Amino acid sequence: MRSIPLSLLVALVLIGSAAQAEEETVPPAPAPSVDADHQVLEQRLAQSEQLRSEQEASSTVQLQRLRQENQRLRMQLKESQAQVQPSLLSDTQTWFALGAGLSLVSIFVGALLRGNRKSRREWIN
């Protein structure tokens, strides 16, 4: 093992004790007084209470406005529903009527294309 020179050992001890002395001589930061903390907290509490009351007042006004708007929209909806006339036929009935009309038109066109032929056409077997 290598021996450490005596001068180096003495220098390390002196530096360590000087650093320890500096730490001990540094005065701790003065603690804030309890009254000052109490006053600051009371001020913050008063500010937060004021903000809360302002927000409650604004939300109450906004809630009232929204209720009036909802009531107005409900009235408009009822009026528009009263004005709408129900359709005469449902979708199924509409398609049935369309099919019946197409059948009648095809019978009529077939009769027109046949013309005034008196002779019967019969199948030749």
Side-chain angles (χ1 to χ4, degrees):
M1 200 160 62
R2 218 168 147 189
S3 65
I4 300 175
L6 187 59
S7 60
L8 183 59
L9 187 59
V10 171
L12 287 174
V13 170
L14 288 175
I15 291 173
S17 63
Q20 205 174 33
E22 278 184 23
E23 290 176 3
E24 291 174 3
T25 59
V26 173
S33 67
V34 175
D35 290 336
D37 284 343
H38 186 68
Q39 289 174 355
V40 169
L41 290 175
E42 282 182 358
Q43 288 175 353
R44 288 180 55 195
L45 177 63
Q47 288 174 351
S48 65
E49 287 292 327
Q50 183 181 6
L51 285 173
R52 185 175 64 91
S53 64
E54 289 173 2
Q55 287 176 349
E56 284 177 355
S58 67
S59 65
T60 304
V61 170
Q62 186 178 13
L63 181 64
Q64 187 65 22
R65 193 175 333 124
L66 288 174
R67 283 181 180 160
Q68 289 173 353
E69 180 73 15
N70 280 348
Q71 191 175 20
R72 185 182 62 82
L73 289 174
R74 282 188 192 119
M75 292 292 287
Q76 283 182 351
L77 179 64
K78 286 180 182 178
E79 289 174 3
S80 66
Q81 285 177 345
Q83 291 175 356
V84 173
Q85 296 175 353
S87 62
L88 295 174
L89 300 174
S90 68
D91 287 342
T92 307
Q93 291 171 335
T94 303
W95 283 109
F96 181 78
L98 215 83
L102 184 64
S103 298
L104 290 175
V105 168
S106 63
I107 290 173
F108 181 71
V109 168
L112 286 178
L113 289 177
R114 183 167 184 233
N116 273 339
R117 286 187 236 154
K118 301 251 179 196
S119 65
R120 280 180 85 190
R121 291 192 180 185
E122 294 184 16
W123 289 91
I124 301 175
N125 290 333

